[in-house]
Amino acid sequence: MKHLVAPSVLSADFGNLQRDCEMINNSGADWFHIDVMDGVFVPNISFGFPVIKTIQKHAKKPLDIHLMIVEPDRYLQAFKDVGANVLTVHLEASKHLHRTIDAIKNLGMKAGVAINPHTSASLLIDTIADIDLVCVMSVNPGFGGQKFIENTYSKVHQLRDMIVSKKSKALIEIDGGVDLNNYTKLVNAGANVLVAGNTVFGSKDPSATIEQLKKV
Ligand code: DX5
Ligand code: ZN
């Protein structure tokens, strides 16, 4: 499968959100990556439903919503209502992960599970067969524009082996510090979805940068 690219709206210009959504629509990007932070699970607050509704209004591609919040179960329906296609919760924020994955899928969304840099990929062994996407955090969540953590490659290899041995269909998504220097190595290691915030929106020509990230 050719890898997907999901620009992270966190790095967009919120004064020109419609323009940036249209840039993504007209580019080679595959998904919109949308980061929701509550200031409790992570030391930052991003945005909530009114902003996501605006993105939903303009987006012509699937919404990949990454919840960096405690008690995600309280809001699954609400994220479905604002158009989530893929809904990702953090393993570290979930008391009953299996139940949460089921609930997301029963609402008609793809279920994603994100793991922080300190969390071993092996903790997914009993749920990987039920998961549609594993989001490997390659920075500590909370902020865009941070430095990529090199240990991510070994996690991707571990997950690839686990996905094969458990006959899982899960996609491996890499989130944080993806740039033009590391994306090829990530895809070669087995990454299926590349999230990119600063690399896309901090560049002179975001659309051309997305094109570049699609090339292997
Ligand atoms: C980090 C977020 C990321 C972030 C990535 O907590 O989950 O999605 O937007 O940004 P970059 O690509 O700038 O590291
Ligand atoms: Zn994210």
Side-chain angles (χ1 to χ4, degrees), residues 170-208:
L171 300 179
I172 300 177
E173 175 175 74
I174 311 297
D175 190 6
V178 173
D179 63 24
L180 295 175
N181 297 315
N182 60 22
Y183 82 96
T184 311
K185 192 170 168 192
L186 285 165
V187 171
N188 290 337
N192 306 110
V193 187
L194 301 176
V195 174
N198 189 50
T199 294
V200 168
F201 289 100
S203 71
K204 272 216 180 91
D205 185 344
S207 187

Side-chain angles (χ1 to χ4, degrees), residues 8 10 33-37 64 66-68 135 137 173 175-176 195:
S8 176
L10 186 63
H33 184 81
I34 298 172
D35 288 311
V36 179
M37 306 178 184
D64 169 35
H66 175 194
L67 300 184
M68 284 160 273
C135 175
M137 290 310 302
E173 175 175 74
D175 190 6
V195 174

Side-chain angles (χ1 to χ4, degrees), residues 27-191:
S27 76
D30 299 279
W31 294 350
F32 284 68
H33 184 81
I34 298 172
D35 288 311
V36 179
M37 306 178 184
D38 66 355
V40 180
F41 181 69
V42 285
N44 194 14
I45 297 175
S46 57
F47 48 75
F49 297 114
V51 171
I52 302 175
K53 267 191 203 155
T54 305
I55 299 168
Q56 181 191 24
K57 194 167 117 195
H58 300 297
K60 296 203 175 92
K61 294 178 179 178
L63 305 189
D64 169 35
I65 302 189
H66 175 194
L67 300 184
M68 284 160 273
I69 65 173
V70 297
E71 299 186 36
D73 306 72
R74 291 172 58 187
Y75 301 101
L76 304 181
Q77 179 69 57
F79 284 104
K80 169 74 184 171
D81 294 344
V82 292
N85 298 91
V86 182
L87 190 63
T88 296
V89 298
H90 265 262
L91 179 144
E92 303 85 0
S94 307
K95 284 203 182 85
H96 300 280
L97 184 63
H98 188 273
R99 179 184 286 152
T100 303
I101 293 165
D102 265 358
I104 294 172
K105 294 204 290 196
N106 288 338
L107 286 168
M109 298 177 282
K110 299 275 187 207
V113 176
I115 53 171
N116 277 336
H118 74 273
T119 301
S120 170
S122 64
L123 293 178
L124 292 171
I125 188 96
D126 292 306
T127 43
I128 195 75
D130 304 306
I131 295 173
D132 297 301
L133 175 139
V134 178
C135 175
V136 180
M137 290 310 302
S138 38
V139 297
N140 284 295
F143 304 92
Q146 301 183 81
K147 190 175 175 295
F148 180 83
I149 296 171
E150 295 289 323
N151 185 51
T152 305
Y153 297 110
S154 91
K155 269 190 178 171
V156 174
H157 289 132
Q158 259 180 283
L159 282 165
R160 271 267 76 85
D161 291 347
M162 193 190 290
I163 284 168
V164 171
S165 73
K166 291 286 184 178
K167 298 187 173 54
S168 165
K169 293 197 177 71
L171 300 179
I172 300 177
E173 175 175 74
I174 311 297
D175 190 6
V178 173
D179 63 24
L180 295 175
N181 297 315
N182 60 22
Y183 82 96
T184 311
K185 192 170 168 192
L186 285 165
V187 171
N188 290 337

